[in-house]
């Protein structure tokens, strides 16, 4: 059983920064691609960023490119999302996810909700204008 626990969310003003963390337990996730998604009220869950198992391959949604950085520390079984220049439209519940087993060795970026097999409970990010 895999458990993913997000932290670091909060209320910030537009232009500020936040760093989200996702700690994995129950299984070593160092060989799994990981991703961040977000969901605002009344909207579908959307892709934010992904990172390959080796930390080299990354991909971002167009809306966050140049502002967000995904990284991982496999020794700590933790994935991070550094968010800069936050905007009110970034307000959402942010979810960490681990790739499904059959995509464990995928080299291409994984950006679809259906490509992830484990999810955290989410952490709320609210950006005021």
């Amino acid at each position: 059983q895999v458990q993913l626990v997000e932290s670091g969310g909060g209320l910030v003003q537009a232009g500020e920064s936040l760093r989200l963390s996702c700690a994995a337990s129950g299984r070593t996730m160092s060989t799994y691609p990981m991703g961040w998604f977000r969901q605002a009220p009344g909207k579908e869950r959307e892709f934010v960023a992904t990172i390959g198992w080796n930390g080299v391959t990354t991909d971002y949604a167009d809306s966050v490119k140049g502002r967000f950085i995904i990284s991982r520390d496999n020794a700590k079984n933790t994935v991070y999302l550094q968010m800069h220049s936050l905007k009110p439209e970034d307000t959402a519940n942010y979810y960490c996810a681990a790739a499904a087993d059959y995509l464990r060795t995928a080299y291409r970026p994984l950006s679809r909700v259906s490509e992830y097999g484990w999810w955290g409970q989410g952490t709320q990010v609210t950006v005021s204008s």
Side-chain angles (χ1 to χ4, degrees):
Q1 190 71 16
V2 176
Q3 289 186 328
L4 302 174
V5 179
E6 303 94 337
S7 61
L11 172 63
V12 296
Q13 293 187 337
E16 294 185 340
S17 300
L18 273 178
R19 189 177 81 156
L20 306 183
S21 299
C22 171
S25 62
R27 183 182 296 188
T28 300
M29 303 308 295
S30 60
T31 58
Y32 283 72
M34 301 289 291
W36 285 96
F37 290 75
R38 66 187 182 187
Q39 188 168 18
K43 295 186 177 181
E44 293 187 352
R45 191 167 297 188
E46 65 174 6
F47 167 73
V48 175
T50 184
I51 187 166
W53 62 270
N54 58 5
V56 174
T57 303
T58 60
D59 194 24
Y60 299 88
D62 288 343
S63 59
V64 307
K65 278 182 182 176
R67 300 188 298 121
F68 291 11
I69 301 171
I70 188 171
S71 62
R72 66 191 301 162
D73 185 338
N74 286 340
K76 296 181 179 180
N77 232 15
T78 301
V79 178
Y80 305 96
L81 185 68
Q82 179 68 56
M83 306 184 292
H84 297 294
S85 303
L86 283 162
K87 304 175 181 180
E89 50 264 44
D90 294 318
T91 295
N93 205 11
Y94 282 70
Y95 296 90
C96 171
D101 276 343
Y102 76 98
L103 289 170
R104 177 177 173 180
T105 57
Y107 281 89
R108 62 175 176 81
L110 305 177
S111 61
R112 299 176 182 175
V113 170
S114 60
E115 294 175 323
Y116 289 83
W118 289 276
W119 295 83
Q121 293 300 307
T123 184
Q124 178 67 35
V125 173
T126 303
V127 185
S128 63
S129 58

